[in-house]
């Protein structure tokens, strides 16, 4: 009786088992590959944008030493404190002075490659520091786009030797361009910047937040805490859920047909853009707000009611403060989506060329994603780099917003 | 004129009213025996402040709509307006120009006829500003005083304030209905105008799309408004190519992350997928146009397909599919998690391997939820705009070749409305008809998905 009891495995059974285990392994690897594919695409996208975009934070500049005393340019520093100091410098001959100095430093054909508005950059430096006018100053000024292309080794064949020569002499190089972060759109990739679009985005987001947040939170409170169960609240609920699923471009059509016919003068203004995006963001805030409010345990409400608080006091003194972190998380996510949104803003005319940053909620503006879209239409190699750089800035903003949402969720999440 | 000043005025007065009323309520409290009054002093404050601010705000909104009209009327009554051009566009231009200069928005006039009107406008604006401030003050004081006089020790201010708060809550939730109505009304209205010019059957069943915004708007060529190629392009890119990418990858990702991945991996992989969902669509569009489309064209050329274009349905569809993966994966994740643990345990106890359990038990049980998720994903894909605008091309092609350029409904909406056409032209209006179709289709898909989910939930509760 010492014979051990073992499972009887026929050869066929063994074979089937092996096959099944192999299938199991294949299935698992397939799953892993699916996940890795998505991650790989994400990595490729980020890598691609970074490689292209690093160049976008730089531009090709030429070194121009200017001796203001020799040039005989005299400007009263007090005149620079008046409005329009650039005009003062222009009238006292700064463009000519720069041109002459460039010819001296770079040769006649080199100076011809200096950007047309390069003197404005010098003017800006002088306005910031008028003492520069007293002596010799070395400016790095933007070259023309043709020259920038030549330095990269393509473009016009006759410019390439010149670019190589100047580059060797150390007067032509790619330099980090701080101005990219504080200029606005332009026609020349050497002169563009994203501050105009960024400011437009900020103003638009402010309008969106001011409209969508209170309306969303109040609507969520009403539906979750007070709404009677009847046909009206059913309609409200259905329409909120539907709005969350409506394609964003439809909101653009709404903004075009309704807002722009009420305010025809505010075409492409952050006010209209913000209102359109607010309608889109509001349902997201309502839905996440309701979930946050639902998560507050009934005992809190009962306790407050028991010591004599009115229903409104219960909600505003107890439920809302406890639900606020959850609501804020949802709001930030909704705002992040609105920040990246392009299509509805194209509909309401925010695709115009705007060369000055907007200074109010009603002045013409563009936003970062739309700026990216507009630049993506340009075929210039310079614009490709600038577009990728703008995308990097946009992604950084989104990363910060999403990080904030995650932090809030982890910091304030409470298990009851 | 400027509503901002009036708004500041209104809120300033509201603050004053709040402080005054609260002070009054405190004095009641001191006088009353036992120090008890019917409501807390701050509620008295809120009551009077609401009565001060709300009527004033309503006035300011109305006033900012009416005031420009009043200004224009008073300018037209001025003798300087006698030699204005007749009614119409030109007259309006002159008026606008003069108004812009008078309000400081512009520096000078181009049209000499406007010059004479600047001064009357300036006077009218000044008068209107004074009037606005005066009426704001009167309304605020009247409202505040009326409310202030009602304050008594036994006045139940809290009930009144809370009733107002409830009204605000109700109003806020009505915004959703208003938005839905706004969408429907604006779409229907313009769509009807479009169908007055082009018959619905030509639009819905025609096979040639090529509206010409420069043609005579009075008699459009109905042969150019056949939207079938657009519908096909939308379905082909959004519902076929994108789903071929998103559904298997999303489903397998969800399965791997929920069933196989170690918690430490899952902690990193799941957020990475979520990042994929947070990337703005314009970035995907740029990626598709700049990287994916040329790569596909080069690959096609390399295998000998000579007519591959640099804008292709395949590029747009592939990138859109990647964008949708996290969406499908989180929906699948939820519905797989909803399958009762007992079913999984039962299958494993019978000796099935994990993959057999997943394929034969979990997926069939979770299928309604997965199907609903795919429906929602399709609805999102066909409403997606920027990727197709940047990567799919403008040519309306009725073909099954994924390497050709194709156009979609959303692309055409953008193209029609960002062109030069006027709002009376059927080419421009066709965008609204396309929007209407898009709205109805996505709504239908969402509705079906919700019904499927509802029925599915009943099975396990």
């Amino acid at each position: 009786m010492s014979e051990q009891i073992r499972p009887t495995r026929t050869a066929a059974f063994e074979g089937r088992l092996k096959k099944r285990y192999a299938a199991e392994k294949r299935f698992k690897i397939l799953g892993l590959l699916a996940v890795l594919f998505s991650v790989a695409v994400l990595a490729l996208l980020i890598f691609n944008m970074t490689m292209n975009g690093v160049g976008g934070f730089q531009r090709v500049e030429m070194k121009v030493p200017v001796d203001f005393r020799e040039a005989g340019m005299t400007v009263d520093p007090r005149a620079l404190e008046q409005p329009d100091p650039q005009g003062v410098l222009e009238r006292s001959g700064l463009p000519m002075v720069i041109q002459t100095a460039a010819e001296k430093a770079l040769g006649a054909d080199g100076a011809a490659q200096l950007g047309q508005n390069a003197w404005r950059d010098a003017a800006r430096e002088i306005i910031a520091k008028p003492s520069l006018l007293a002596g010799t100053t070395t400016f790095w000024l933007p070259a023309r786009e043709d020259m920038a292309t030549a330095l990269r080794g393509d473009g016009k064949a006759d410019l390439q030797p010149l670019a190589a020569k100047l580059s060797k002499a150390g007067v032509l190089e790619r330099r980090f361009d701080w101005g990219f972060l504080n200029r606005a759109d332009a026609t020349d990739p050497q002169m563009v910047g994203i501050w105009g679009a960024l400011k437009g985005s900020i103003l638009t987001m402010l309008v969106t937040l001011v409209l969508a947040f209170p309306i969303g939170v109040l609507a969520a409170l009403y539906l979750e805490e007070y709404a009677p169960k009847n046909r009206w609240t059913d309609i409200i609920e259905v329409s909120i859920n539907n709005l969350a699923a409506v394609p964003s471009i439809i909101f653009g059509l709404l903004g075009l047909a309704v807002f722009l016919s009420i305010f025809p003068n505010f075409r492409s203004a952050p006010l209209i853009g913000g209102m359109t995006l607010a309608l889109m963001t509001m349902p997201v805030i309502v839905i996440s707000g309701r979930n946050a409010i639902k998560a507050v345990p009934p005992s809190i409400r009962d306790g407050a009611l028991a010591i004599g608080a009115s229903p409104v006091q219960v909600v505003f003194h107890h439920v809302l403060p406890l639900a606020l972190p959850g609501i804020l998380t949802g709001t930030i996510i909704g705002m992040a989506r609105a920040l990246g949104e392009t299509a509805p803003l194209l509909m309401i005319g925010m695709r115009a060329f705007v060369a000055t940053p907007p200074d109010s909620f009603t002045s013409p503006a563009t936003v970062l994603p739309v700026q990216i879209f507009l630049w993506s239409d340009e075929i210039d190699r310079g614009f490709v780099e600038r577009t990728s750089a703008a995308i990097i800035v946009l992604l950084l903003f989104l990363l910060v917003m999403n990080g904030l949402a995650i932090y809030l969720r982890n910091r304030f999440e409470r298990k009851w | 004129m400027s509503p901002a000043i009036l708004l500041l005025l209104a809120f300033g007065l509201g603050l004053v009213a709040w402080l005054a009323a609260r002070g009054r309520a405190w004095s009641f409290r001191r006088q009353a025996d036992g120090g008890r009054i019917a409501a807390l002093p701050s509620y008295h404050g809120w009551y009077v402040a609401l009565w001060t601010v709300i009527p004033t705000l309503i006035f300011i909104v109305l006033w900012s709509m009416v005031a420009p009209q009043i200004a224009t009327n008073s300018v037209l009554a001025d003798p300087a307006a006698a030699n204005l051009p007749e009614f119409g566009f030109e007259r309006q231009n002159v008026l606008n120009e003069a108004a812009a200069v008078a309000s400081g928005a512009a520096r000078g006039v181009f049209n000499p006829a406007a010059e004479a009107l600047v001064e009357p406008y300036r006077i009218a604006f000044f008068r209107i500003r004074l009037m606005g401030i005066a009426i704001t003050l009167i309304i605020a004081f009247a409202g505040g005083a009326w409310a202030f006089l009602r304050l008594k020790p036994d006045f139940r201010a809290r009930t009144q304030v809370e009733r107002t708060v409830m009204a605000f809550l109700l109003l806020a939730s009505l915004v959703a209905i208003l938005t839905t109505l706004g969408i429907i009304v604006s779409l229907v209205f313009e769509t009807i105008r479009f169908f007055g010019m082009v018959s619905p059957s030509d639009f819905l069943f025609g096979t040639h799309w090529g509206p010409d915004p420069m043609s005579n708007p009075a008699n459009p060529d109905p042969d150019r408004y056949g939207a079938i190629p657009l519908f096909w392009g939308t379905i082909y890119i959004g519902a076929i190519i994108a789903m071929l990418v998103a559904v298997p990858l999303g489903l397998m990702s969800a399965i791997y992350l929920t069933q196989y991945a170690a918690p430490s991996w899952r902690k990193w992989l799941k957020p990475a997928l979520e990042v994929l969902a947070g990337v703005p669509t314009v970035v995907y569009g740029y990626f598709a146009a700049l990287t994916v489309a040329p790569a596909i064209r080069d690959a096609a050329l390399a295998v000998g397909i000579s007519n591959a274009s640099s804008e292709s349905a395949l590029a747009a569809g592939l990138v859109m599919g990647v964008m949708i993966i996290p969406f499908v994966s989180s929906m699948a994740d939820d519905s797989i998690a909803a399958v009762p643990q007992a079913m999984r345990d039962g299958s494993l106890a019978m000796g099935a391997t994990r993959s057999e359990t997943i394929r034969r038990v979990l997926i069939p049980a979770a299928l309604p939820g997965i199907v609903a998720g795919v429906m929602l994903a399709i609805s999102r894909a066909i409403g997606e705009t920027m990727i197709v605008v940047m990567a799919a091309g403008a040519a309306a092609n009725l073909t099954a070749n994924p390497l050709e350029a194709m156009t979609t409904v959303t692309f055409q909406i953008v193209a029609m409305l960002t062109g030069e056409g006027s709002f009376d032209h059927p080419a421009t209006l066709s965008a609204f008809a396309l929007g209407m179709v898009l709205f109805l289709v996505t709504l239908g898909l969402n509705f079906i998905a919700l019904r499927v989910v509802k029925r599915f939930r009943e099975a396990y509760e």
Side-chain angles (χ1 to χ4, degrees), chain A residues 268-317:
Chain A
S268 70
L271 182 67
I272 302 292
M275 280 158 70
T276 308
L277 291 181
L279 294 184
M280 210 186 85
T281 314
M282 192 263 301
V284 180
I285 298 180
V286 173
I287 291 171
S288 69
R290 289 186 69 175
N291 287 334
I293 293 167
K294 218 181 273 174
V296 176
S299 57
I300 304 269
R301 298 181 184 85
D302 297 344
L305 282 173
I307 55 167
S310 72
V312 172
Q313 285 172 329
V314 169
V315 166
F316 282 90
H317 294 177

Side-chain angles (χ1 to χ4, degrees), chain A residues 257-385:
Chain A
V258 176
F259 293 151
L260 278 188
S261 59
I262 300 178
F263 309 102
N265 295 333
F266 294 162
R267 224 177 139 76
S268 70
L271 182 67
I272 302 292
M275 280 158 70
T276 308
L277 291 181
L279 294 184
M280 210 186 85
T281 314
M282 192 263 301
V284 180
I285 298 180
V286 173
I287 291 171
S288 69
R290 289 186 69 175
N291 287 334
I293 293 167
K294 218 181 273 174
V296 176
S299 57
I300 304 269
R301 298 181 184 85
D302 297 344
L305 282 173
I307 55 167
S310 72
V312 172
Q313 285 172 329
V314 169
V315 166
F316 282 90
H317 294 177
H318 301 276
V319 176
L320 188 57
L322 289 171
L324 211 52
I327 299 177
L328 282 181
T329 314
T331 305
I332 294 171
I333 290 171
M335 293 298 287
R337 223 175 83 185
L339 175 65
E341 199 54 72
T342 320
L345 300 179
L346 292 183
M347 296 286 93
I348 57 163
M350 286 188 106
R351 67 199 301 281
F353 176 78
V354 182
T356 46
D359 47 12
S360 76
F361 289 107
T362 50
S363 49
T366 187
V367 297
L368 207 43
V370 176
Q371 186 75 78
I372 291 169
F373 173 64
L374 292 178
W375 284 351
S376 74
D377 262 358
E378 311 270 354
I379 38 170
D380 245 314
R381 172 79 192 136
F383 266 114
V384 173
E385 288 185 342

Side-chain angles (χ1 to χ4, degrees), chain B residues 69-299:
Chain B
Q69 200 51 47
I70 298 179
T72 308
N73 285 347
S74 78
V75 168
L76 289 181
D78 195 274
N83 46 7
L84 264 180
E86 282 307 302
F87 279 96
F89 199 60
E90 203 178 334
R91 181 191 178 92
Q92 198 54 47
N93 258 355
V94 171
L95 288 175
N96 284 348
E97 217 170 84
V101 173
S103 64
R107 285 199 184 163
V109 291
F110 293 106
N111 197 329
E115 186 70 60
L117 292 178
V118 170
E119 208 42 46
Y121 251 120
R122 202 164 281 160
I123 295 170
F125 282 157
F126 181 70
R127 223 178 267 153
I128 279 188
R129 196 178 302 146
L130 280 191
M131 242 154 81
I133 293 176
I135 302 180
T136 307
L137 285 175
I138 291 172
I139 292 182
F141 275 117
W146 188 79
F148 195 80
L149 291 178
R150 289 190 66 187
L151 299 186
K152 286 190 190 75
D154 60 349
F155 176 65
R156 303 194 178 276
R158 195 185 76 190
T159 333
Q160 303 281 336
V161 172
E162 291 189 344
R163 209 172 284 162
T164 320
V165 170
M166 290 303 285
F168 272 120
L169 292 180
L170 188 61
L171 275 181
S173 57
L174 286 182
V175 170
I177 293 188
L178 282 180
T179 310
T180 311
L181 270 184
I183 288 178
I184 293 172
V185 168
S186 58
L187 289 180
V188 166
F189 198 65
E190 308 288 340
T191 305
I192 289 175
R193 270 176 71 193
F194 173 68
F195 283 149
M197 303 178 192
V198 176
S199 87
S201 65
D202 285 335
F203 174 71
L204 289 176
F205 304 111
T207 56
H208 175 69
W209 178 263
D212 179 8
M214 292 301 136
S215 69
N216 179 10
N219 53 342
D221 181 3
D223 291 343
R224 288 173 159 273
Y225 288 93
I228 290 280
L230 309 186
F231 299 150
W232 168 245
T234 308
I235 291 171
Y236 196 53
I237 294 178
I240 299 179
I241 301 180
M243 289 308 129
L244 281 179
V245 176
V247 172
L249 285 172
L251 199 54
M252 287 310 286
S253 302
I255 289 171
Y256 185 79
L257 288 178
T258 51
Q259 309 294 322
Y260 288 111
S264 57
W265 275 69
R266 189 180 147 86
K267 210 174 82 191
W268 288 103
L269 289 177
K270 206 168 155 64
L273 278 190
E274 277 164 6
V275 170
L276 218 49
V279 174
T281 54
V282 68
V283 175
Y284 278 118
Y286 189 63
F287 181 63
L290 188 78
T291 311
V292 179
I296 287 175
R297 186 197 51 204
D298 293 345

Side-chain angles (χ1 to χ4, degrees), chain A residues 118-142:
Chain A
W119 66 271
R120 286 186 192 277
D121 281 34
R124 228 168 278 143
E125 279 183 53
I126 294 171
I127 292 161
K129 202 173 156 205
S131 63
L132 290 180
L133 282 174
T136 307
T137 316
T138 303
F139 293 107
W140 281 93
L141 299 177

